[in-house]
């Protein structure tokens, strides 16, 4: 079943009281550019979803609450005007045909009933297909991570001296930053051997300076990665860093609701 109302920036995907296998699955979902979060407070998440219904949540029936209470929680979420557009799915280690029929047919969850005992690879495959059917990426191709307060620095040489800039946001496609006046390269300049420090994790790649634009009274510079300089290991470093930053930001948001 396909949901409606997908935004340009896609949907946040929550795993509520996730089983251990989901930790590995989340990394695979990140490679497919889905924005995932692991959450253990169903009450705070319910309040957050009321303000952000353009989201998807997978409930683990095996932890947190007894199954009858999860049924009530799911029915309440789907029946509330504020959260009725939230996409709901179920994950479980010990699903039965009767339980599957209850959630898929009687309750009508839109995002599936996933039995995770099939293993990491198969679980990830099922979830990727489910999230694609529900257009969880939206119109974007890559997850952009706001990191202005995360201490990410960009360093490269302009041929004369080293140039340093704080990174504002980051994805496996590129980044935005603020370069010093007078130190901007010409558009389409190849920046060889750029060094990024992702909270102590070094990453080296080549980039292409695209140009700058005015945002909030300040110039923001766009640099795209040269895809030939990013192997899978480097992409995984960026995605792993991004997941940690986004999870920390979400934890703060949930603590405040």
């Amino acid at each position: 079943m396909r949901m409606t109302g997908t935004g340009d920036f896609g949907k946040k995907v929550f795993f509520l009281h996730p089983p251990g296998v989901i930790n590995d699955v989340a990394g695979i979902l990140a490679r497919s550019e889905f924005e995932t979060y692991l959450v253990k407070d169903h009450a705070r998440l319910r309040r957050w979803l009321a303000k952000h219904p353009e989201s998807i949540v997978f409930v683990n029936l095996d932890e947190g609450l007894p199954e009858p209470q999860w049924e009530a929680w799911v029915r309440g979420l789907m029946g509330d005007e504020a959260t009725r557009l939230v996409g709901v799915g179920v994950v479980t280690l010990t699903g039965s045909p009767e339980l599957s029929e209850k959630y898929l047919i009687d309750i009508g969850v839109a995002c599936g009933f996933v039995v995770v005992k099939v293993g990491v690879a198969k679980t990830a495959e099922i979830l990727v297909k489910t999230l694609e059917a529900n257009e969880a990426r939206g119109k974007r191709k890559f997850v952009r991570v706001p990191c202005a307060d995360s201490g990410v620095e960009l360093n490269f040489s302009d041929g004369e001296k080293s140039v340093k800039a704080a990174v504002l946001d980051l994805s496996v496609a590129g980044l935005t930053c603020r370069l010093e006046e007078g130190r901007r390269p010409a558009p389409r300049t190849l920046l060889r051997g750029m060094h990024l420090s992702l909270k102590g994790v070094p990453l080296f790649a080549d980039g292409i300076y695209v140009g700058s634009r005015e945002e909030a009274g300040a110039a923001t510079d766009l640099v795209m990665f040269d895809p030939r300089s990013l192997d899978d290991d480097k992409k995984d470093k960026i995605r792993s860093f991004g997941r940690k930053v986004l999870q920390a930001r979400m934890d703060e948001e949930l603590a405040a609701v």
Side-chain angles (χ1 to χ4, degrees), residues 133-155:
N134 286 274
E135 300 178 337
R137 293 191 195 90
K139 296 179 181 179
R140 60 159 174 76
K141 293 183 178 180
F142 306 100
V143 175
R144 286 178 57 185
V145 180
C147 46
D149 301 322
S150 300
V152 183
E153 288 189 347
L154 168 68
N155 289 274

Side-chain angles (χ1 to χ4, degrees), residues 19-251:
V21 67
I22 293 298
N23 289 315
D24 295 324
V25 169
I28 298 175
L29 297 180
R31 292 186 198 121
S32 296
E33 297 297 328
F34 295 112
E35 186 180 338
T36 62
Y37 299 90
L38 309 182
V39 179
K40 291 188 176 182
D41 192 323
H42 53 275
R44 289 184 182 276
L45 181 60
R46 171 74 181 269
R47 293 196 293 270
W48 189 92
L49 290 170
K51 298 179 180 179
H52 307 277
E54 65 289 350
S55 305
I56 295 173
V57 56
F58 289 92
V59 175
N60 178 15
L61 299 182
D62 307 327
E63 296 182 28
L65 294 173
E67 188 278 324
Q69 291 184 37
W70 275 132
E71 177 185 350
W73 192 88
V74 169
R75 288 186 184 276
L77 192 74
M78 295 175 62
D80 188 330
E81 182 65 24
T83 53
R84 65 181 180 82
L85 295 180
V86 175
V88 183
V90 168
V91 297
T92 177
L93 279 168
T94 57
S96 66
E98 293 78 16
L99 207 56
S100 175
E101 182 176 346
K102 177 201 288 188
Y103 282 89
L104 292 176
I105 306 301
D106 297 344
I107 300 176
V109 298
C111 295
F113 185 96
V114 183
V115 181
V116 298
K117 67 181 179 182
V118 295
V120 172
K122 187 62 177 178
T123 298
E125 179 184 343
I126 294 169
L127 287 170
V128 165
K129 289 180 180 178
T130 298
L131 294 175
E132 286 177 341
N134 286 274
E135 300 178 337
R137 293 191 195 90
K139 296 179 181 179
R140 60 159 174 76
K141 293 183 178 180
F142 306 100
V143 175
R144 286 178 57 185
V145 180
C147 46
D149 301 322
S150 300
V152 183
E153 288 189 347
L154 168 68
N155 289 274
F156 65 90
S157 173
D158 65 2
E160 297 180 0
K161 59 180 69 175
S162 177
V163 178
K164 179 186 292 187
V167 175
L168 303 178
D169 65 50
L170 175 68
S171 76
V172 295
L175 58 89
T176 63
C177 62
R178 287 205 174 105
L179 298 172
E180 299 175 25
E181 291 294 335
R183 304 303 300 275
R184 291 189 174 89
R188 297 187 296 278
T189 296
L190 178 62
L191 308 177
R192 293 194 180 277
M194 297 189 310
H195 172 226
L196 281 168
S197 177
L198 306 178
K199 283 195 172 179
V201 177
L203 187 140
F204 294 90
D206 297 335
I208 300 169
Y209 180 73
V210 176
S212 64
R213 62 177 183 270
E214 288 291 324
E215 286 187 352
T220 299
D221 299 277
L222 176 61
V223 177
M224 303 300 292
F225 290 118
D226 183 340
R228 296 169 295 182
S229 70
L230 279 187
D231 57 19
D232 289 341
D233 181 62
K234 291 179 180 179
K235 290 178 183 178
D236 281 346
K237 284 184 179 180
I238 294 173
R239 292 181 178 123
S240 177
F241 168 79
R243 284 178 58 209
K244 291 176 182 176
V245 170
L246 290 172
Q247 182 71 55
R249 290 168 64 96
M250 180 55 65
D251 290 344

